[in-house]
């Protein structure tokens, strides 16, 4: 039977499927007698003379050769310093692994003897996995060493002391095997089931792969419970191990259907019973596919798996290369990334059961499956679990956590078999506590409005410059008095508390006064960027049911008669001047909306996010501390008001006494002009999207060591971060959707390598990384970033359906408040930070602007000549990311 699953050269290079047995012998050993013993054993067992022939045959076949000699290599290390021997031996073992074997040259086996002293030797047996299974290797070692002792005649049945269960009495039916495996793996293609925590290895060609290992033991109680549970439900203990591993993979990668490798031992290995089986390897490695259904109870699921496993049994003998070939997985791609091995008794335990001199000998098996992760399960009374992982691909601590989660799932199964599979806990109590304390961001939340914070600042620094624009400037007192007058004037025009007022203005001192006037009147402002298309502006005005539209004369030409009655702040200035300039009593409810900002909607229409004062106040108070702003600061405001980050630029200086310098949109979008303004104004703080920072650098801007940079709105790449760090005072990465009020995390970026984290939650904010069923995920595993706390907006204006879908009650145990589902993918990384990984949907960012591709596709589909369309955000070479639409035109119509 062909079992050549070692079919790739690379596998050989990496020592895959090569096993080393290391024996420690505290006795005198004669090398030449040992060599003779080996030769006799090899002559006796055809299995040890097996090679794989792949030339001149349609598919690789096993061939038994005659006249094979196994030489013994002897190394006398007795004169080497004692302290260095073990390390030398480790090195030697590694180079021995790299040597591999030529598969067609017998024997696929070699023996090396090291002399450490008169009575201390090391014996290394290196062989290809195909040659020997656990029982056979014990048999062979037993025969060799006892032959050397010479007091027993080897070769007779009584000397073979390990029993194995007889192999299934059948001839393989290839057609049936093929049909079975094809259907088992139907639809499995592309990349193998992801482990959820693997990284691209940074392998340097020629360097061997390094491996790490962790172990955990389950209690005897858990072991007993699992055994009983398996027996009660017609399954084996192995089924439970497999089920728990499948579940772990599913929780880690979110896929409902997982594939991993399985390997089981043959025979029990009770000594003193003669085996009639020849020496060889009858274990087989197989792919196992499990579809996860988390709705039923654990017990129902075990029964189902038990039945499925019984159906594989007749096809357990099929070789892995064949199964691979029958699958839809491309050649060269592994079928699986993880392997679950059910271990029998260890080699050491088997040999020690022989008693006598075997009690002083130690044997250790060194084997690497070649999979990035192998889980070994030792079903003893206290089941031991081991993870062997490839360093560089799997992080040391991530693999330890992974093993912990596997154990946690098994304990969960033992504790509550009647509970639904979906309720099985993955995280340890310690991990849950850690998440809890990470999220403990409680800070004082004063029950005030933004306008209260501003008025308090006016009282502190009435004569300092508050805002400057185009050569003019207003002090805090001037700004405050003007906005008080505007508020009173607007109230006379019909503004009432709780109303929404459009703010269609270009950056200017009046724009800020108008905005404050709206807020002081108890209303919410709806920012309307004059550069937006007419239909878009009109949609927002209609959707927001504006009470008023605050604008300015020079925008008169873009106004439409059907729009709300405009108030031209600049033409009614005289009437405004006539109003009382003292502060107004708060006219509204305790916590009304401060603004409603529209963002792209996937179903074709933008949606208005309603942000209450309390959320804005919380954000501003947090930002005052980190990144920090004070009276000595000058902030350069460049964001368009329709982008929520403008809220930080406009309000943060006003509550901290810093000066706000506003720039024209024309300057703010032209890198050279912007660089000139920066040089002239010398701001100490500036916020912009990564795209804009990049544009600035590319225009030749040299930075400023006194400048604190806040990056927000889209992912900050490492290379940009480092370039900015080299040129500026400090760089902060802020993350947050409009729905949770500008920023929900803030991270001070350090020079370094690897992705730039987005940091941790700001004050009074809780962040969770959840799977699709809203269960918390462990560190390192990607899930949806979900945000709770003071920043969570009220919802979408007039869209209860959408609000209910995105703003959900906190589903976590003991969790309170509402959570906003961002649709962002993230994971917890070391040092208590979060890393942003992308989106779960079709939302993209173009120069910081949030765009739902679906909204554009919807707009295209309304054109009579467009039959179908797809929109992508493409990044082509050096061209900045842009939107590209592909359309299928209906030829019967004119475009
Ligand atoms: P917006 O509502 O315009 O603030 O857009 C919010 C979205 O922008 C988030 O859900 C993220 O997808 C993305 N985003 C915002 N800030 C960052 C950041 N610092 N890093 C990566 N993505 C970000
Ligand atoms: Mg944002």
């Amino acid at each position: 039977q062909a079992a050549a699953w070692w079919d790739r050269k690379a596998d050989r290079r990496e020592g895959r499927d090569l096993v080393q047995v290391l024996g420690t012998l505290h006795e005198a050993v004669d090398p030449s007698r040992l060599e003779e013993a080996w030769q006799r054993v090899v002559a006796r067992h055809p299995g040890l003379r097996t090679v794989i022939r792949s030339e001149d045959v349609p598919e690789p076949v096993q061939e038994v050769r005659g006249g094979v000699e196994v030489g013994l290599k002897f190394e006398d290390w007795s004169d080497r310093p004692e302290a260095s021997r073990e390390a030398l031996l480790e090195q030697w073992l590694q180079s021995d692994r790299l040597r591999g074997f030529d598969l067609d040259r017998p024997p696929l086996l070699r023996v090396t003897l090291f002399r450490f002293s008169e009575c201390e030797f090391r014996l290394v047996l290196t062989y290809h996995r195909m040659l020997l299974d656990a029982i056979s290797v014990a048999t062979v070692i037993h025969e060799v060493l006892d032959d050397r002792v010479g007091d027993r005649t080897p070769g007779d049945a009584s000397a073979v002391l390990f029993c194995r269960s007889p192999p299934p009495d059948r001839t393989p039916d290839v057609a049936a095997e093929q049909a079975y495996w094809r259907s088992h793996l139907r639809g499995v293609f592309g990349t193998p089931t992801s482990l959820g925590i693997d990284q691209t290895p940074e392998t340097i060609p020629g360097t061997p792969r390094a491996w790490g290992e962790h172990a955990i033991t389950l209690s005897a109680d858990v072991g007993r419970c699992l055994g009983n549970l398996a027996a009660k439900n017609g399954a084996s203990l192995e089924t439970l191990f497999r089920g728990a591993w499948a579940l772990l993979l599913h929780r880690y990668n979110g896929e409902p259907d997982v594939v991993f490798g399985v390997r089981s031992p043959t025979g029990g290995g009770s000594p003193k019973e003669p085996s009639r089986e020849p020496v060889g390897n009858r274990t087989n490695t197989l792919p196992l596919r499990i579809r996860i259904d988390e709705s039923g109870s654990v017990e129902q699921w075990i029964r189902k798996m038990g039945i499925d496993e019984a159906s594989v049994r007749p096809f357990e003998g099929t070789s892995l290369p064949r199964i691979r070939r029958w699958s839809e997985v491309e050649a060269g791609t592994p079928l699986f990334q993880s392997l679950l091995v059910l271990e029998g008794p260890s080699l050491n335990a088997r040999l020690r059961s022989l008693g006598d001199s075997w009690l002083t000998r130690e044997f250790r098996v060194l084997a690497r499956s070649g999979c990035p992760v192998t889980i070994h399960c030792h079903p003893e009374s206290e089941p031991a679990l081991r993870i062997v992982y490839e360093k560089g691909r799997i992080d040391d601590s991530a693999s330890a956590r992974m093993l912990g989660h596997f154990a946690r799932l098994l304990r969960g199964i033992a504790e509550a078999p009647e509970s639904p599979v979906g309720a099985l806990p993955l995280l340890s109590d310690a991990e849950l506590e850690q998440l809890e304390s990470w999220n403990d961001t409680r800070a004082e939340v004063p029950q005030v409005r933004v306008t209260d914070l501003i008025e308090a600042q006016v009282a502190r620094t009435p004569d300092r410059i508050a805002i400057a624009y185009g050569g003019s400037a207003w002090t805090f007192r001037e700004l405050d008095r003007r906005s008080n007058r505007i508020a009173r004037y607007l109230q006379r025009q019909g503004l009432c508390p709780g109303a929404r007022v459009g703010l269609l203005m270009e950056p200017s001192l009046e724009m800020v006064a108008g905005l404050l006037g709206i807020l002081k009147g108890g209303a919410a402002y709806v920012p309307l960027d004059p550069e937006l298309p007419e239909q878009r502006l009109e949609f927002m005005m209609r959707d927001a049911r504006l009470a008023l539209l605050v604008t300015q004369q020079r925008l008169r030409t873009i106004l439409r008669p059907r729009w709300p009655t405009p108030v031209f702040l600049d033409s009614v200035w005289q009437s405004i001047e006539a109003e009382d300039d003292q502060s107004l009593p708060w006219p509204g409810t305790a916590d009304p909306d401060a603004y409603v900002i529209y963002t792209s909607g996937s179903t074709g229409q933008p949606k208005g996010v309603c942000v209450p004062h309390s959320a804005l106040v919380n954000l501003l108070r947090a930002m005052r501390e980190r990144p920090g702003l004070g009276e000595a600061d000058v902030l350069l405001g460049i964001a368009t008001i329709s982008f929520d980050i403008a809220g930080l630029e406009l309000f943060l200086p006003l509550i901290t006494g810093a000066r706000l310098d506003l720039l024209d949109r024309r300057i703010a979008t032209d890198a050279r002009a912007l660089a000139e303004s920066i040089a002239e104004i010398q701001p100490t703080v500036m916020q912009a999207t990564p795209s804009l920072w990049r544009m600035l650098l590319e225009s030749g801007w040299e930075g400023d060591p006194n400048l604190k940079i806040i990056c927000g709105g889209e992912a900050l790449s490492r290379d940009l971060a480092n370039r900015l760090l080299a040129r500026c005072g400090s760089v902060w990465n802020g993350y947050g959707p409009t729905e949770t009020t500008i920023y929900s995390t803030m991270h001070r970026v350090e020079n370094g390598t690897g992705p730039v984290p987005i940091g941790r939650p700001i004050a009074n904010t809780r962040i969770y990384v959840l799977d699709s069923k809203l269960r918390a995920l462990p560190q390192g595993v990607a899930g949806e970033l979900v945000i709770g706390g003071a920043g969570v907006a009220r919802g979408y204006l007039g869209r209860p359906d959408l609000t209910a879908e995105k703003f959900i009650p906190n589903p976590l145990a003991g969790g309170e408040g509402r959570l906003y589902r961002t649709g962002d993918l993230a994971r917890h990384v070391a040092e208590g930070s979060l890393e942003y990984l992308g989106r779960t949907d079709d939302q993209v960012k173009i120069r910081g602007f949030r765009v739902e591709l679906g909204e554009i596709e919807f707009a295209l589909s309304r054109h009579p000549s467009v039959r179908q369309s797809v929109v992508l955000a493409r990044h082509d070479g050096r061209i900045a990311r842009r939107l590209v639409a592909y359309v299928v035109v209906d030829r019967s119509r004119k475009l």
Side-chain angles (χ1 to χ4, degrees), residues 613-639:
H613 275 260
S614 56
L616 187 55
V617 163
N618 186 67
L619 180 272
L620 294 171
R621 287 172 53 91
M623 294 300 107
R624 182 166 65 186
E625 308 304 324
R626 288 181 85 239
L629 200 75
E631 286 181 18
D633 281 310
V634 177
L635 189 148
L636 192 62
I638 57 167

Side-chain angles (χ1 to χ4, degrees), residues 484-751:
N484 288 339
R485 287 181 169 133
I486 293 174
R488 288 202 167 82
Y489 178 81
L490 293 178
Q491 283 178 335
R492 235 180 269 289
Q493 307 308 309
L495 178 147
C496 47
R500 282 172 297 276
V501 176
L503 185 69
L504 180 73
M505 288 183 83
E506 290 179 338
S508 55
L509 302 181
E510 290 75 15
M511 180 195 84
V512 180
L515 194 160
L516 294 187
I518 296 171
L519 291 179
K520 288 188 179 215
Y525 68 92
V526 179
L528 301 166
D529 183 343
E531 283 170 29
L532 289 175
E534 178 184 328
Q535 282 97 330
R536 181 81 170 205
L537 288 171
E538 187 163 325
F539 173 85
M540 294 193 282
M541 291 188 209
R542 201 166 2 96
D543 189 68
R545 283 172 279 121
L546 298 183
L548 287 172
L549 177 62
V550 171
T551 183
Q552 59 197 125
Q553 273 298 337
R554 54 181 296 193
L555 297 175
R556 183 178 281 280
T557 51
I558 69 166
L559 301 186
R560 294 291 168 265
R562 41 183 196 277
W563 292 4
T565 325
V567 175
F568 296 101
L569 277 192
D570 38 2
S571 24
V572 294
W573 205 244
Q574 280 195 328
S575 319
I576 293 174
E577 291 281 293
E579 296 287 347
D580 179 6
D581 66 0
Q582 291 309 296
S583 68
L584 293 75
W586 177 249
T589 53
D591 187 22
D593 289 341
Y595 59 78
V596 176
I597 283 194
Y598 279 80
T599 74
S600 182
S602 57
T603 50
Q605 279 175 347
K607 49 201 192 267
V609 182
C610 304
V611 176
H613 275 260
S614 56
L616 187 55
V617 163
N618 186 67
L619 180 272
L620 294 171
R621 287 172 53 91
M623 294 300 107
R624 182 166 65 186
E625 308 304 324
R626 288 181 85 239
L629 200 75
E631 286 181 18
D633 281 310
V634 177
L635 189 148
L636 192 62
I638 57 167
T640 153
I641 50 166
S642 59
F643 197 177
D644 74 338
I645 62 172
L648 179 124
E649 298 179 354
L650 298 175
F651 296 114
L652 193 54
L654 293 181
I655 70 152
T656 56
R659 192 180 89 201
L660 165 65
D661 266 78
L662 280 180
L663 284 188
D664 252 356
R665 291 293 299 147
R666 201 172 32 75
I667 299 177
T669 50
D670 173 342
R672 271 178 212 284
L674 182 56
E676 276 170 29
S677 295
I678 296 173
E680 191 187 315
I681 296 168
Q682 303 220 324
T684 58
V685 180
M686 191 177 147
Q687 168 192 256
T689 60
S691 315
L692 193 112
W693 290 117
R694 192 178 290 281
M695 225 170 73
L696 260 177
L697 288 176
E698 263 148 36
S699 80
W701 179 63
E702 283 171 357
D704 179 349
N706 295 318
L707 185 63
K708 185 187 285 185
I709 282 182
I710 306 173
C711 279
E714 61 189 352
L716 172 60
S717 70
R718 170 50 71 185
D719 102 277
L720 178 61
N722 286 354
R723 280 170 74 192
L724 290 172
L725 278 167
R727 290 169 180 79
C728 299
S730 63
V731 176
W732 294 76
N733 187 16
Y735 158 88
T738 305
E739 286 86 339
T740 58
T741 315
I742 310 180
Y743 291 127
S744 296
T745 72
M746 202 31 90
H747 177 74
R748 183 170 178 163
V749 184
E750 301 291 343
N751 206 308

Side-chain angles (χ1 to χ4, degrees), residues 10 22 301 335 389 549 618 743 798 891:
L22 172 64
W301 189 51
L335 265 178
Y389 58 95
L549 177 62
N618 186 67
Y743 291 127
R891 289 197 182 282

Side-chain angles (χ1 to χ4, degrees), residues 139-161:
T139 305
V140 164
I141 291 176
H142 172 230
E143 285 186 22
V144 168
L145 289 181
D146 272 359
D147 177 280
R148 181 185 61 82
V149 173
D151 54 3
R152 235 184 274 202
T153 333
D156 68 329
S158 65
V160 184
L161 293 181

Side-chain angles (χ1 to χ4, degrees), residues 226-227 229-230 236-245 302 410 413:
L226 290 175
L229 196 60
S236 64
L237 192 55
E238 186 171 20
T239 312
L240 297 197
F241 288 131
R242 290 175 174 184
W245 185 249
I302 297 172
L410 284 167
I413 291 172

